[in-house]
Amino acid sequence: MQTATTPTRITVSTPEDMRQLGRRLAALLRAGDLVLLTGELGAGKTTLARGLGAGLGVRGDVTSPTFVIARVHPPLGDGPPLVHVDAYRLDGGLEEMEDLDLDVCLPESVVAVEWGEGRVEELTEDRLHVVIARELAHDADEHDARVVTLAAYGDRWRGVDLAAVSP
C-alpha cells in the first residue's frame, strides 16, 4: 500500500466556498490526474466537482452523474476534459468500472470519481484523495462546515504544495 503525502486539512463554511476550493484545486490538476471524492451523502462532493469543472474551464454544467454513472465535460480551451463519475450505484470494484473505459480516458483527462474509494485506486498509483466530512454547527442558525482533507499518492504529487489551495 502506498503512503500519502502529508494530508492538508481545510475548513469550508459554505457551498460557494466549496466551489471555490474546487476552482483552486483545478489549478493543480493536469491530464492524467485521478481525483477520488469521498464523503457521506450531501457532504459536498458534487459541489467540489462543479468547482473543478469551472477551474478547468470545461463545457457544460457539472451535475451529479448518479443515473448516468459518468459524464465527460470537454474543455472550452486548451486544458484537459473532466470525466466526472459517480460510483455510488456500483457494487463491485474496478471490474464493474471497466465498462466506463476510465483507463482509456485517464491519460488525456482529469477523472474525478465520487464514491470511488476502494473501486478505482488500481487505475493509477498517482492519485489525489479528497475526503469531505461534516463539522456540526454549534448554533442552530449556522450552517454545518465541512472539513476537507487532501491526501496525494504517487510520484506525480511529490513536491506539490496542496496547502496552496487553502483560502
Side-chain angles (χ1 to χ4, degrees), residues 3-111:
T3 57
T5 59
T6 302
T8 298
R9 293 171 51 98
I10 301 165
T11 300
V12 177
S13 300
T14 67
E16 180 55 31
D17 291 343
M18 185 68 79
R19 276 190 291 279
Q20 290 304 318
L21 175 60
R23 289 180 74 94
R24 291 190 305 275
L25 190 57
L28 300 178
L29 299 175
R30 63 184 188 210
D33 284 342
L34 174 64
V35 182
L36 301 179
L37 302 172
T38 301
E40 63 187 55
L41 284 170
K45 297 178 296 295
T46 301
T47 302
L48 183 82
R50 282 187 189 108
L52 292 176
L56 290 170
V58 299
R59 185 175 67 214
D61 292 331
V62 175
T63 60
S64 179
T66 300
F67 296 103
V68 295
I69 310 299
R71 218 176 241 126
V72 177
H73 297 275
L76 293 171
D78 294 333
L82 173 65
V83 178
H84 183 207
V85 180
D86 187 332
Y88 181 72
R89 296 187 183 283
L90 303 178
D91 295 327
L94 188 58
E95 308 80 43
E96 193 169 357
M97 302 287 286
E98 281 182 354
D99 289 341
L100 300 177
D101 289 331
L102 295 180
D103 56 334
V104 173
C105 65
L106 182 59
E108 59 270 345
S109 305
V110 169
V111 177

Side-chain angles (χ1 to χ4, degrees), residues 28-29 33 126-128 152-160 162:
L28 300 178
L29 299 175
D33 284 342
D126 299 313
R127 64 188 178 278
L128 180 63
Y153 296 82
D155 291 338
R156 183 276 187 250
W157 292 99
R158 200 174 318 276
V160 175
L162 294 175

